[in-house]
Amino acid sequence: MRDGLAEINEANPEGPYDKLSQMPSSKISNTEFARFIDFIEKFEDETEGTLSMALGYREMRMLLHVMRNHLAGRLTTPTSLADASGLTYGTAKRGINSIMQRGLLISRPRTKSGKTVSLHPSSQMIQEWESYAERIKGLLGPLFGIDPSSETASKIFLGASSSERVISTPAVLSARLELKGGLRVLAHADPTFMAMHNLKRQLESIFGLEIRNKARSIDNLLDEILDNARLAKSRYDVVACDLPWFGELAARGILMPLDTLIKRDNYDLSDFHPMAIQSSGYTGSQYGIPVQTTPELLCYRQDVFETAQLTPPTTTEALVKVARQLHDPAKGRYGIAWNAARGTPLGHTFSFLMAKFGQPLLNLPNGKGGYDFQQAAGEQLRPMFQSDAAYRACEYMLDILKYSPPNILSMSWYERAQSYASGEACMAYCYTLLAPLFELDRHSPAYGNTGYLPHPVGNHGRAITPIGGYALAIPSNLAPERVEAVWTALRHLTSANMSKLYIMNGSLVTPRFSVSQDPEVSALSPLIKIVDDMAKKDILQAWPRPPVPGVTEVISIAGNEIFEVLDGRRSIKKALSIAQERADKVMREKGHY
C-alpha cells in the first residue's frame, strides 16, 4: 500500500478520483489574496529600486515571505525568514521578535524538544493583510479613474466589495497536533477529497504533522470502514461516510458519538445545511460533521434546448418526450445519461425515482417537508417494492433506456457526468460534486451552457432534490489517547475556512451557508447559489435514501434485481417481488419488524 489520496483502487465505479494525482483546477486557481501579495512585492521592488529606500522595507519583505509560504504550504523557519529580509542575521532576528511581540507571528515547535520551530502568520496577521488589500484597492481605484464602489474596482484584488463577508484563508493551529504516525484519513474518491489531496502540504503546515490519506470509491469505502471496525484499534483517525450509512454504522457502534465534544466546545452547527446535519446523526445523537452537501439534479444543455426550441422538463412524462426529440445516435448524440449500472448505482436511481412518484423506498410516515425518517420504526421501515410508485419507476427507466447512450447498463456516477460533459448526452441526472467536469472545464461543450432543475416529478410526486454527500466521523475503536487531537483536526477540516479552500481548489460543493454566500465562492459557478437556495427552501431532502439501519443493503438489492429488468431477463412484477422478499428478510434480521 502507498499513502496519499491518489492510491489506486482496482474497483472503480466512480471514475478516476482514487488514482489521479491532481484534479482539474478551478477557473480561479488561487485566491485573489495571493495576487495581491504578488502585487505588493512588485510594488516594493519598484519602490526600492527607484527611491533607494531598501532598509525601510525589510520588515515588509519578511511579512510577504511568511504569507506566501503559508498560502503555498511551505515551511518558514527563522533562518529562511532572516534570509528573505536581506538583513544581517542579528538585525533580522530583532525584526522577527518585534513582529512576534505584536501578535502577528506564531512560533510553533517542530519537535517535542522545542529546539527547532516554524513560523506562521497568526489570524490577526491574515486579517490585517486582507483589510490592507481592501484599503489599497480603494486607493488605487480613483487613482486610475475607477469608482472604488464599482464592480470593476471590487474585483481588482479580492473579487468582492468591502460590504460582503469574505472568508479568510485558514490560519495554522497555535500548537501542532500530536498524533503518532500523523493524521490518518479514509476518504471518498471525489473532487472535494481530491482538492484536499492537492492541498496536502498546506494542511500539513496548518496542523503541524503529516497527513496520510487513502481514497476509496463508494462500495469499497464502506467495506473498508466495516473491515476497520473489526480491529482492536482503528487504523484510521477520520473516516468519510456517505450520509445514508450513518444509521447502520451508528446502530452497530462503529462510529463515536460526538455530542459530548460538541457540547463541551460549544461547537455551532447552525451554519450547516440542516438536512446534512440530520442525516449524519442517528436517534438524537450526532455522529458526523458534514464536509460536503451534493444534491442530485437534472442537468440539461441550455444551448441545445434553445436551438431545438424545447422547454426544460419538470415532469417525467415531459422528460421522456424531450429525450426522444434530442436522441440522435447517428450523430453520436443521446437524450439522457443516468446511473443504470448493476448494484448500488442503479439502486440509487431506483430510490430517487420512487420518490419522484411520491413514495419513499421504505414505508416512512408523512412528516414536515416530506417523510419522517428520524422517528420511523417497525412497519414504517418496511421496503415498498410492491407499491405503485416502484412499478412506475421501473416503467420510467425502461422508457428513458431507449434514449440513453449505448453503454448505459455500465454507467454510474462518473460515467454519466463524463457523458454529459463530453457533449454525448443532452441531459443527465448528476450529483453536483461531479459538476467540475463541465462547470470548470472550458473545453466541455456544456461549459457555461448548463441549466439545473430539481428531479422532474411523476404522478403524486412533489418537487424535491435528493441530497447526497459525506460527513467526517471518528471510528469508535480509535485509541483513546488520539481522540482529542483527532476531534480538533475534524473540526478544522470541516470549518468554513477549509470548505472555501476546497472550493477554490477544484470542488464545487459545501455544506455551509456562509461559504456559499462568500462572494469569491459564489462567483465561481451559478450552481453554488442554486444549491444554497434549495437548502434554504428545504427542497433538499434525505428521505429518498433515509439514513436508517439496513437501507444500504436494500438499495443494493434494488440495484441488482431491477438490473435484470433493464437487461431484458425478467419482468417488472417478478423483479419487484424478489426484491421485496429479499429486502424484508434484511429488515427483519435488523429487528425492525
Side-chain angles (χ1 to χ4, degrees):
M1 292 289 182
R2 58 188 177 88
D3 295 327
L5 196 59
E7 179 166 313
I8 293 177
N9 174 19
E10 295 302 325
N12 189 28
E14 291 178 89
Y17 296 114
D18 46 3
K19 64 182 180 180
L20 281 182
S21 60
Q22 283 194 329
M23 265 287 296
S25 298
S26 157
K27 57 184 177 183
I28 297 179
S29 59
N30 292 303
T31 62
E32 298 298 280
F33 190 20
R35 282 179 55 196
F36 176 73
I37 289 174
D38 289 340
F39 163 77
I40 289 295
E41 184 173 58
K42 292 174 183 176
F43 178 76
E44 294 301 326
D45 285 340
E46 293 296 330
T47 302
E48 289 183 13
T50 305
L51 302 180
S52 302
M53 295 178 64
L55 291 178
Y57 287 85
R58 293 306 185 184
E59 185 171 289
M60 179 68 84
R61 292 287 179 198
M62 289 191 282
L63 298 179
L64 287 166
H65 183 76
V66 171
M67 285 301 304
R68 178 174 284 108
N69 281 357
H70 175 66
L71 293 175
R74 292 192 294 264
L75 192 68
T76 302
T77 65
T79 301
S80 69
L81 190 52
D83 290 342
S85 73
L87 301 170
T88 63
Y89 186 76
T91 304
K93 186 176 180 181
R94 288 192 294 273
I96 293 171
N97 288 337
S98 173
I99 297 171
M100 291 184 65
Q101 288 170 6
R102 300 198 304 275
L104 300 178
L105 276 182
I106 293 173
S107 175
R108 197 167 65 187
R110 296 172 61 190
T111 60
K112 288 185 177 181
S113 69
K115 291 182 180 180
T116 59
V117 299
S118 56
L119 301 176
H120 309 270
S122 67
S123 296
Q124 178 187 340
M125 179 174 170
I126 292 172
Q127 290 168 7
E128 283 187 6
W129 271 81
E130 289 172 343
S131 176
Y132 178 47
E134 281 291 336
R135 294 174 68 87
I136 293 296
K137 176 184 69 179
L139 291 172
L140 288 178
L143 181 63
F144 295 102
I146 301 172
D147 180 356
S149 64
S150 70
E151 183 178 353
T152 302
S154 71
K155 294 183 178 179
I156 291 178
F157 296 123
L158 294 182
S161 70
S162 58
S163 63
E164 295 177 299
R165 182 175 181 272
V166 177
I167 295 172
S168 298
T169 301
V172 300
L173 303 189
S174 56
R176 65 190 295 269
L177 291 182
E178 296 293 342
L179 283 170
K180 185 179 180 180
L183 181 67
R184 308 163 304 180
V185 180
L186 178 63
H188 178 238
D190 67 41
T192 294
F193 290 106
M194 188 56 69
M196 293 171 68
H197 167 59
N198 289 347
L199 293 162
K200 187 172 183 286
R201 287 179 61 187
Q202 188 168 348
L203 297 183
E204 288 177 337
S205 175
I206 289 170
F207 292 138
L209 48 57
E210 181 186 6
I211 297 177
R212 304 175 64 186
N213 293 318
K214 183 184 289 185
R216 289 288 182 262
S217 51
I218 188 168
D219 289 332
N220 292 327
L221 175 60
L222 180 57
D223 289 342
E224 186 84 6
I225 292 172
L226 296 175
D227 287 344
N228 181 68
R230 299 184 183 101
L231 303 176
K233 288 190 177 181
S234 174
R235 67 168 67 100
Y236 303 108
D237 298 309
V238 174
V239 294
C241 299
D242 193 14
L243 295 182
W245 299 347
F246 274 92
E248 181 73 31
L249 297 179
R252 292 174 59 175
I254 290 173
L255 302 179
M256 179 182 297
L258 304 176
D259 304 271
T260 301
L261 295 168
I262 291 171
K263 184 177 181 180
R264 183 198 70 188
D265 296 346
N266 197 26
Y267 187 59
D268 185 10
L269 300 177
S270 63
D271 187 37
F272 291 93
H273 293 164
M275 198 54 62
I277 289 294
Q278 289 181 33
S279 298
S280 50
Y282 181 65
T283 62
S285 290
Q286 197 67 34
Y287 288 88
I289 305 297
V291 69
Q292 57 170 250
T293 299
T294 174
E296 182 174 284
L297 302 176
L298 178 69
C299 307
Y300 66 94
R301 286 281 299 278
Q302 292 173 314
D303 54 335
V304 172
F305 271 67
E306 288 173 7
T307 300
Q309 297 183 325
L310 295 172
T311 301
T314 56
T315 67
T316 53
E317 183 180 5
L319 187 144
V320 173
K321 290 180 180 178
V322 167
R324 182 190 306 124
Q325 289 176 268
L326 295 175
H327 194 63
D328 193 349
K331 294 182 179 178
R333 192 175 81 176
Y334 304 93
I336 185 167
W338 49 290
N339 274 6
R342 180 189 288 274
T344 303
L346 179 57
H348 281 197
T349 296
F350 176 75
S351 64
F352 293 163
L353 294 184
M354 277 191 65
K356 291 164 69 162
F357 287 96
Q359 171 65 56
L361 182 63
L362 307 179
N363 190 32
L364 301 177
N366 279 302
K368 182 181 178 181
Y371 294 87
D372 182 10
F373 59 84
Q374 292 186 297
Q375 306 300 322
E379 284 291 326
Q380 295 170 340
L381 295 176
R382 185 180 292 277
M384 297 297 290
F385 287 100
Q386 301 287 59
S387 64
D388 179 66
Y391 195 92
R392 289 180 178 273
C394 291
E395 287 185 318
Y396 174 71
M397 284 189 279
L398 288 175
D399 284 340
I400 61 175
L401 188 68
K402 305 169 191 173
Y403 312 115
S404 302
N407 63 329
I408 188 64
L409 294 184
S410 61
M411 189 172 283
S412 57
W413 296 274
Y414 177 79
E415 288 80 16
R416 66 178 180 179
Q418 185 58 44
S419 175
Y420 177 79
S422 70
E424 177 186 64
C426 300
M427 296 182 289
Y429 288 117
C430 185
Y431 273 126
T432 57
L433 71 86
L434 288 172
L437 290 174
F438 45 89
E439 278 288 330
L440 302 180
D441 183 359
R442 295 177 182 272
H443 300 293
S444 168
Y447 174 78
N449 289 318
T450 296
Y452 299 94
L453 288 173
H455 274 220
V457 298
N459 63 320
H460 309 303
R462 66 189 75 183
I464 65 154
T465 297
I467 189 177
Y470 285 80
L472 299 185
I474 300 175
S476 59
N477 57 342
L478 182 67
E481 66 271 14
R482 300 180 71 88
V483 171
E484 282 296 332
V486 169
W487 167 242
T488 298
L490 189 152
R491 284 189 292 114
H492 282 82
L493 288 171
T494 56
S495 68
N497 309 74
M498 288 289 194
S499 185
K500 177 182 176 179
L501 196 61
Y502 307 149
I503 287 180
M504 302 304 287
N505 284 271
S507 172
L508 278 180
V509 292
T510 177
R512 285 182 171 270
F513 289 113
S514 62
V515 177
S516 299
Q517 292 159 12
D518 180 288
E520 289 185 331
V521 170
S522 59
L524 284 174
S525 167
L527 181 60
I528 291 170
K529 185 177 186 303
I530 290 171
V531 173
D532 195 55
D533 288 344
M534 287 181 175
K536 290 176 181 176
K537 296 174 182 175
D538 289 331
I539 294 176
L540 303 184
Q541 293 291 329
W543 58 260
R545 286 190 311 158
V548 299
V551 74
T552 301
E553 291 152 278
V554 172
I555 288 172
S556 178
I557 289 168
N560 280 284
E561 297 303 332
I562 293 166
F563 184 85
E564 301 297 310
V565 175
L566 301 186
D567 208 25
R569 293 198 292 262
R570 192 171 289 160
S571 69
I572 296 176
K573 185 176 180 180
K574 181 66 173 175
L576 292 178
S577 176
I578 295 172
Q580 183 69 43
E581 183 179 349
R582 290 184 60 195
D584 268 330
K585 182 180 178 182
V586 166
M587 300 306 262
R588 278 195 294 266
E589 289 175 351
K590 299 288 181 185
H592 292 316
Y593 48 84

